[in-house]
Every structure is written in structure tokens, then in C-alpha cells.
Amino acid sequence: QVHLVQSGGGSVQAGGSLTLSCVASQGTYNTNYMGWFRQAPGKEREGVAAISIRDRRTSYADSVKGRFTISQDSAKNTVYLRMNSLKPEDTAMYSCAAGPMGWSWPLMPLGTAPYSAWGQGTQVTVSS
């Protein structure tokens, strides 16, 4: 199973930008898709963005469309989440995730069910 290690995150003022990174220690070739999720205090975990490692198709939550960009660098076994125009409501613990080896792009790539490996989480705090 792929092991995920995150970096990035931190505190920023509203309107600012941050980039999160997620390295797949055994290579992104061990999964067909990866995603970013977030969970704010008292709220359920929600899918933010997902990407197909094979054909680079992407999926975004409506709340982040046009502001967040998910991308991958297969040579570095890394998936990124670039977050622009951050809002206070983006404040949450962000986690990357990977699908099981051999699974195809899911019907609901922003749901948690298709993912089997999770990063350690990193806090993003946006102040107004």
C-alpha cells in the first residue's frame, strides 16, 4: 500500500495562497488516482479535489472551483494542491489520499470511500 507524506500548509490571510504537497513513497504508479480532502472542526470530511494519475482528469468541489488546482509530478511521485484566493471558510485540516492499486477512476472521486491510504494531515488556517 502506498505511503503518503504531506508538506505545506500554515497560516495565511484571506486572499492569500498556499501550496500543499503529497509524496507517494512507493511511487504514484501504485495508484490510479489521488485526492485532497479537508475537515473543519465540527464538520464532516469533504473532498476538495481529485486527479487521475493516468490521464490527469480532475474533479473539484464547487466551493473551490476556480481557486484551487490539483496537479501531479510523476517524476517526483508528488501530487500538489495549489490554493489561491483563500477564504476563512477554507480553514481546515487537509489530507491527501490515494486509491487502492488497480482501482479505476471512481464514479465519485470526491467521496472518501474510494480511498485506502491517507496522509498525516496538515493544518491550513485563513484569517480574515
Side-chain angles (χ1 to χ4, degrees):
Q1 180 167 305
V2 64
H3 179 60
L4 305 176
V5 179
Q6 298 177 220
S7 61
S11 298
V12 66
Q13 288 190 326
S17 299
L18 287 171
T19 298
L20 306 181
S21 301
C22 178
V23 178
S25 62
Q26 294 177 310
T28 53
Y29 55 80
N30 279 326
T31 182
N32 286 327
Y33 55 90
M34 294 181 67
W36 285 97
F37 294 77
R38 67 185 182 187
Q39 187 168 20
K43 295 187 177 180
E44 291 187 357
R45 180 177 287 179
E46 64 169 336
V48 174
I51 187 167
S52 167
I53 302 301
R54 302 294 171 248
D55 59 22
R56 300 179 183 250
R57 79 179 83 174
T58 57
S59 180
Y60 293 94
D62 288 342
S63 58
V64 306
K65 281 181 181 176
R67 300 189 298 122
F68 290 12
T69 302
I70 188 170
S71 62
Q72 60 162 334
D73 184 337
S74 296
K76 297 182 178 180
N77 301 321
T78 302
V79 171
Y80 303 95
L81 184 68
R82 175 65 176 178
M83 304 181 291
N84 294 328
S85 303
L86 282 161
K87 305 175 181 180
E89 51 263 43
D90 293 319
T91 296
M93 180 71 72
Y94 284 71
S95 299
C96 62
M101 185 175 181
W103 284 35
S104 300
W105 179 255
L107 290 175
M108 299 180 67
L110 298 183
T112 59
Y115 296 88
S116 59
W118 293 84
Q120 80 274 20
T122 185
Q123 179 68 35
V124 171
T125 302
V126 185
S127 58
S128 58

